[in-house]
Amino acid sequence: IIHNPPASPQQRNIILILITTYAMLKLYGHYGSQPFRSVAWLLKMKKEPFECISINPMKGENRTAEYRAQFPLGLIPAIEDDPGDGKTIALSEASAIMIYLC
C-alpha cells in the first residue's frame, strides 16, 4: 500500500517492480470467524501486505479437495507465505499463524 504518490516516473517503475516481484501473503478464511479476524487484525497492525481469500465454511469451501490438498485439516484461518527462499509455507489455525507472524 502506497500512501504518498511517487514523485517521478522512475520511482513509479521501481515501486511497480517491487510490488510485482514481492510474493504477498495470502490469508484464507471467513469474516464471520473470530480467529480469522484476529489474524487479519495482526497483519494490519504489523502493516504487512496481504491478500484475503474468502473461504466460507458454511458452504463447505474448506472441505473441497483443492483446499484440503494445501491445508489437510481443512481449518480456517490459514495462510500461505513465501518468505523469499522459493519455499511456500502453509499454516492453519490462528494461534500457529500468529506465532509465525510475530
Side-chain angles (χ1 to χ4, degrees):
I1 299 171
I2 302 167
H3 297 286
N4 298 324
S8 69
Q10 291 82 11
Q11 287 177 331
R12 264 182 259 152
N13 289 338
I14 290 170
I15 290 169
L16 288 175
I17 289 168
L18 289 172
I19 290 171
T20 56
T21 58
Y22 178 76
M24 189 178 297
L25 184 137
K26 295 179 184 175
L27 173 61
Y28 297 83
H30 189 265
Y31 67 91
S33 162
Q34 186 277 323
F36 170 80
R37 292 191 310 268
S38 295
V39 173
W41 178 81
L42 178 62
L43 287 166
K44 287 184 180 201
M45 292 300 293
K46 291 180 60 84
K47 296 182 174 136
E48 182 79 32
F50 66 97
E51 176 185 358
C52 187
I53 300 168
S54 179
I55 301 292
N56 190 339
M58 290 165 262
K59 292 183 180 178
E61 293 174 354
N62 61 322
R63 293 186 299 272
T64 64
E66 181 182 325
Y67 188 79
R68 297 286 298 263
Q70 189 161 9
F71 306 105
L73 297 176
L75 299 174
I76 60 167
I79 62 165
E80 179 183 318
D81 190 21
D82 181 358
D85 59 1
K87 297 178 182 175
T88 301
I89 294 173
L91 286 173
S92 60
E93 195 170 342
S95 57
I97 294 168
M98 289 191 278
I99 290 169
Y100 170 76
L101 294 173
C102 288

